[in-house]
Short mmCIF file of all heavy atoms in Angstrom, two decimals:
data_model
loop_
_atom_site.label_atom_id
_atom_site.label_comp_id
_atom_site.label_asym_id
_atom_site.label_seq_id
_atom_site.Cartn_x
_atom_site.Cartn_y
_atom_site.Cartn_z
N PHE E 851 1.03 -11.77 15.40
CA PHE E 851 1.99 -10.66 15.45
C PHE E 851 3.21 -11.09 16.27
O PHE E 851 4.31 -10.60 16.08
CB PHE E 851 1.35 -9.40 16.05
CG PHE E 851 0.20 -8.90 15.24
CD1 PHE E 851 -1.06 -8.72 15.81
CD2 PHE E 851 0.35 -8.62 13.90
CE1 PHE E 851 -2.13 -8.25 15.05
CE2 PHE E 851 -0.71 -8.16 13.13
CZ PHE E 851 -1.95 -7.98 13.71
N TYR E 852 3.00 -12.02 17.20
CA TYR E 852 4.08 -12.52 18.04
C TYR E 852 5.15 -13.21 17.17
O TYR E 852 6.34 -13.00 17.34
CB TYR E 852 3.52 -13.50 19.07
CG TYR E 852 4.54 -14.04 20.04
CD1 TYR E 852 4.98 -13.28 21.11
CD2 TYR E 852 5.07 -15.32 19.87
CE1 TYR E 852 5.91 -13.77 22.00
CE2 TYR E 852 6.01 -15.83 20.76
CZ TYR E 852 6.43 -15.05 21.82
OH TYR E 852 7.36 -15.54 22.69
N HIS E 853 4.70 -14.06 16.25
CA HIS E 853 5.64 -14.74 15.36
C HIS E 853 5.89 -13.95 14.07
O HIS E 853 6.69 -14.38 13.24
CB HIS E 853 5.08 -16.12 14.98
CG HIS E 853 4.85 -17.03 16.16
ND1 HIS E 853 3.64 -17.11 16.80
CD2 HIS E 853 5.68 -17.86 16.81
CE1 HIS E 853 3.73 -17.97 17.81
NE2 HIS E 853 4.95 -18.43 17.84
N GLY E 854 5.18 -12.86 13.89
CA GLY E 854 5.29 -12.07 12.66
C GLY E 854 4.79 -12.85 11.46
O GLY E 854 5.25 -12.65 10.34
N LEU E 855 3.79 -13.71 11.68
CA LEU E 855 3.41 -14.66 10.65
C LEU E 855 1.96 -14.50 10.21
O LEU E 855 1.10 -14.13 11.01
CB LEU E 855 3.62 -16.07 11.22
CG LEU E 855 2.97 -17.30 10.61
CD1 LEU E 855 3.83 -18.52 10.92
CD2 LEU E 855 1.56 -17.54 11.15
N TYR E 856 1.70 -14.77 8.94
CA TYR E 856 0.31 -14.88 8.47
C TYR E 856 0.21 -16.06 7.52
O TYR E 856 1.18 -16.40 6.82
CB TYR E 856 -0.16 -13.58 7.81
CG TYR E 856 0.66 -13.15 6.63
CD1 TYR E 856 0.36 -13.58 5.33
CD2 TYR E 856 1.75 -12.31 6.78
CE1 TYR E 856 1.12 -13.20 4.26
CE2 TYR E 856 2.53 -11.92 5.70
CZ TYR E 856 2.20 -12.37 4.45
OH TYR E 856 2.96 -11.99 3.38
N CYS E 857 -0.94 -16.73 7.49
CA CYS E 857 -1.08 -17.95 6.69
C CYS E 857 -2.54 -18.18 6.36
O CYS E 857 -3.39 -18.24 7.24
CB CYS E 857 -0.54 -19.13 7.51
SG CYS E 857 -0.84 -20.71 6.74
N GLN E 858 -2.85 -18.29 5.08
CA GLN E 858 -4.24 -18.45 4.65
C GLN E 858 -4.34 -19.43 3.49
O GLN E 858 -3.46 -19.48 2.64
CB GLN E 858 -4.79 -17.09 4.20
CG GLN E 858 -6.26 -17.13 3.80
CD GLN E 858 -6.82 -15.73 3.54
OE1 GLN E 858 -6.16 -14.90 2.93
NE2 GLN E 858 -8.02 -15.48 4.00
N GLN E 859 -5.43 -20.21 3.49
CA GLN E 859 -5.69 -21.05 2.32
C GLN E 859 -6.57 -20.24 1.37
O GLN E 859 -7.63 -19.77 1.76
CB GLN E 859 -6.40 -22.34 2.72
CG GLN E 859 -6.53 -23.31 1.55
CD GLN E 859 -7.08 -24.67 1.94
OE1 GLN E 859 -7.78 -24.80 2.95
NE2 GLN E 859 -6.80 -25.67 1.14
N VAL E 860 -6.12 -20.08 0.14
CA VAL E 860 -6.87 -19.26 -0.81
C VAL E 860 -7.84 -20.15 -1.58
O VAL E 860 -7.71 -21.37 -1.56
CB VAL E 860 -5.91 -18.47 -1.75
CG1 VAL E 860 -4.98 -17.59 -0.93
CG2 VAL E 860 -5.10 -19.41 -2.63
N PRO E 861 -8.84 -19.56 -2.25
CA PRO E 861 -9.88 -20.39 -2.91
C PRO E 861 -9.30 -21.42 -3.89
O PRO E 861 -9.89 -22.48 -4.10
CB PRO E 861 -10.73 -19.35 -3.65
CG PRO E 861 -10.55 -18.09 -2.88
CD PRO E 861 -9.14 -18.13 -2.36
N HIS E 862 -8.16 -21.14 -4.45
CA HIS E 862 -7.51 -22.06 -5.37
C HIS E 862 -7.07 -23.34 -4.67
O HIS E 862 -6.82 -24.37 -5.30
CB HIS E 862 -6.31 -21.32 -5.98
CG HIS E 862 -5.37 -22.15 -6.77
ND1 HIS E 862 -4.11 -22.45 -6.33
CD2 HIS E 862 -5.49 -22.74 -7.98
CE1 HIS E 862 -3.48 -23.19 -7.25
NE2 HIS E 862 -4.30 -23.37 -8.24
N GLY E 863 -6.97 -23.30 -3.32
CA GLY E 863 -6.61 -24.49 -2.55
C GLY E 863 -5.21 -24.43 -1.96
O GLY E 863 -4.88 -25.15 -1.02
N SER E 864 -4.36 -23.57 -2.51
CA SER E 864 -3.00 -23.48 -1.98
C SER E 864 -2.98 -22.61 -0.73
O SER E 864 -3.89 -21.81 -0.50
CB SER E 864 -2.05 -22.91 -3.04
OG SER E 864 -2.65 -21.83 -3.69
#
Side-chain angles (χ1 to χ4, degrees):
Chain E
F851 298 124
Y852 183 78
H853 300 93
L855 162 153
Y856 59 89
C857 173
Q858 183 172 42
Q859 187 173 24
V860 302
H862 170 251
S864 43

